[in-house]
Amino acid sequence: MLELRPCCENCDVDLPPDSASALICTFECTFCRDCAQGVLQNVCPNCGGGLTDRPVRPQAMLLRNPASTLRIVKPLVGERAARHAALVKQYCAIAPHRR
């Protein structure tokens, strides 16, 4: 089951469970649309995968299966930014489903 993480991993903006601005990779790394499309260039800094819209869990299901409250924030600075730049160079011209 998806964790539905509460914030963007890069900029720490809140992403509530019903947010249409949340994008995820296949490992559930979570980013806001602005970071995903801008800074990250649709390349997950953790795995190199593409980012896609995070599904919205129906309200009734949130009662039984609540969203995560654990904030994971790892902004792209320093060495992390350099590693991501290498991933972008390697993957940005390759469609996510072909990486």
Side-chain angles (χ1 to χ4, degrees):
M1 178 172 317
L2 289 175
E3 288 182 36
L4 301 179
R5 295 177 184 169
C7 66
C8 174
E9 202 170 293
N10 185 59
C11 72
D12 197 29
V13 69
D14 288 338
L15 294 170
D18 62 350
S19 176
S21 295
L23 283 85
I24 60 173
C25 75
T26 62
F27 292 99
E28 298 183 54
C29 302
T30 304
F31 302 96
C32 69
R33 190 169 304 281
D34 288 343
C35 286
Q37 294 175 344
V39 176
L40 302 177
Q41 300 178 55
N42 195 30
V43 177
C44 177
N46 301 313
C47 69
L51 301 165
T52 191
D53 290 337
R54 179 180 73 185
V56 173
R57 186 169 298 150
Q59 287 293 325
M61 293 294 105
L62 274 173
L63 296 174
R64 290 192 330 206
N65 301 287
S68 175
T69 58
L70 177 64
R71 296 180 84 85
I72 298 172
V73 181
K74 301 183 283 187
L76 284 183
V77 295
E79 179 61 31
R80 186 165 166 75
R83 284 193 312 266
H84 182 257
L87 285 174
V88 168
K89 190 173 190 172
Q90 181 180 359
Y91 292 124
C92 73
I94 303 170
H97 67 281
R98 301 226 184 261
R99 292 184 189 160

